[in-house]
């Protein structure tokens, strides 16, 4: 079945530090991959996505590359800000009837200190 | 553009009581999802609709949970009777199609005492 494994947190960084949040997946077929973010007191919202192998999704300084050879979609940012403090979720969408239960990662709590 | 609307935002009930959640998706979105999110976990899919048809309900505990999406727009998720383990945040999301990005509502926080 389809599933994602996301690195456990929480992650605590100082402002301007480099961020990596690991995400690996197991899937049949050719899924699309997403990162969603949940800021304090708000609902989940899309951060970025990639729909095929070698695609790079980017938004707000965050990037993630769809790596089929390593079945990974790691989230990176070169210089984090206090406003990036949030919970980040990796998500796999294979569509059809192969959606599966574990297609969201467990979430990684990021806290950025000034 | 209005986002996904959910109500109520909070609900506290005693075990064995029924409860219902309502969701109004973004206009024009054919796919609607109900998720359950436990504290410190990611969302877990309960049911997915394509228009008015439930196309993936394998994770829905059918002995106590039911859902409907009449006319392919609004949707209701019901639990009867509720158990202590049902305490969670229930999220509704919608998308243009099942392969597109999802737009989430604010969720309903259910506490069963």
């Amino acid at each position: 079945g389809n599933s994602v494994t996301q690195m456990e947190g929480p992650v605590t960084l100082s402002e301007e530090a480099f961020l990596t949040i690991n995400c690996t997946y197991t899937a049949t077929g050719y899924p699309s991959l997403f990162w969603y973010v949940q800021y304090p007191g708000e609902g989940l919202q899309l951060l970025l996505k990639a729909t095929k192998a070698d695609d790079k999704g980017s938004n707000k300084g965050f990037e993630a590359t769809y790596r089929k050879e390593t079945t990974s979609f790691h989230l990176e940012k070169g210089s984090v800000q206090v406003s990036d403090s949030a919970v980040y979720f990796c998500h796999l969408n294979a569509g059809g009837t192969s959606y599966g239960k574990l297609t969201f990662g467990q979430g990684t709590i990021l806290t950025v200190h000034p | 553009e209005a986002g996904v609307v959910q109500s109520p935002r909070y609900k506290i009930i005693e075990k064995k009581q029924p409860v219902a959640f309502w969701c109004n998706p973004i206009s024009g979105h054919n796919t609607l999802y109900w998720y359950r999110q436990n504290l410190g976990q990611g969302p877990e899919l309960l049911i997915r609709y394509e228009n008015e048809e439930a196309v993936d309900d394998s994770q829905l505990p059918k002995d106590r949970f039911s859902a409907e999406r009449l006319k392919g727009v609004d949707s209701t998720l019901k639990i009867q009777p509720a158990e202590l383990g049902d305490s969670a945040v229930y999220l509704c999301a919608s998308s243009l199609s099942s392969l597109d990005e999802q737009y989430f509502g604010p969720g309903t926080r259910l506490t069963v005492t």
Side-chain angles (χ1 to χ4, degrees):
Chain A
N2 301 320
S3 66
V4 295
T5 302
Q6 190 175 335
M7 70 178 285
E8 296 184 11
V11 175
T12 302
L13 297 172
S14 297
E15 208 164 25
E16 300 184 2
F18 183 85
L19 169 71
T20 300
I21 301 177
N22 290 338
C23 173
T24 58
Y25 68 90
T26 302
T28 55
Y30 305 96
S32 294
L33 299 171
F34 303 79
W35 278 99
Y36 286 85
V37 60
Q38 187 169 28
Y39 297 104
E42 299 184 16
L44 277 84
Q45 57 187 274
L46 178 71
L47 180 60
L48 54 82
K49 67 178 181 181
T51 58
K52 61 182 186 296
D54 299 325
D55 270 2
K56 177 185 286 187
S58 60
N59 185 27
K60 299 182 179 180
F62 290 88
E63 294 182 339
T65 301
Y66 188 154
R67 304 266 189 216
K68 189 176 181 183
E69 63 276 13
T70 55
T71 61
S72 65
F73 193 56
H74 304 322
L75 182 67
E76 297 181 336
K77 187 173 186 180
S79 177
V80 294
Q81 305 300 312
V82 172
S83 58
D84 294 326
S85 297
V87 185
Y88 293 82
F89 294 92
C90 185
H91 173 57
L92 175 155
N93 185 350
T97 58
S98 61
Y99 207 75
K101 179 180 180 181
L102 301 176
T103 57
F104 273 90
Q106 66 185 44
T108 300
I109 300 172
L110 171 65
T111 303
V112 181
H113 292 297
Chain B
E1 177 183 287
V4 176
V5 179
Q6 289 188 248
S7 68
R9 292 293 309 277
Y10 305 91
K11 190 74 176 179
I12 301 174
I13 61 171
E14 294 183 346
K15 63 181 181 181
K16 300 185 181 180
Q17 294 301 305
V19 64
F21 314 122
W22 176 79
C23 173
N24 180 239
I26 292 173
S27 177
H29 281 194
N30 297 320
T31 308
L32 184 146
Y33 311 77
W34 282 105
Y35 290 94
R36 176 169 58 192
Q37 186 176 21
N38 293 308
L39 189 63
Q41 301 295 317
E44 296 180 347
L45 181 71
L46 292 173
I47 189 168
R48 175 168 63 97
Y49 283 93
E50 297 291 345
N51 298 303
E52 66 274 10
E53 182 182 1
V55 296
D56 187 353
D57 63 355
S58 57
Q59 310 300 332
L60 190 72
K62 297 182 183 63
D63 57 335
R64 298 184 299 108
F65 286 65
S66 64
E68 61 182 9
R69 191 185 184 196
L70 299 177
K71 301 181 181 179
V73 182
D74 294 4
S75 179
T76 302
L77 177 70
K78 297 179 181 178
I79 308 175
Q80 182 170 10
E83 298 180 351
L84 294 177
D86 295 331
S87 295
V89 176
Y90 290 83
L91 298 169
C92 180
S94 69
S95 61
L96 281 171
S97 77
S98 61
L99 292 175
D100 289 311
E101 66 187 80
Q102 297 174 44
Y103 294 81
F104 284 84
T108 297
R109 183 176 297 278
L110 174 67
T111 301
V112 181
T113 63

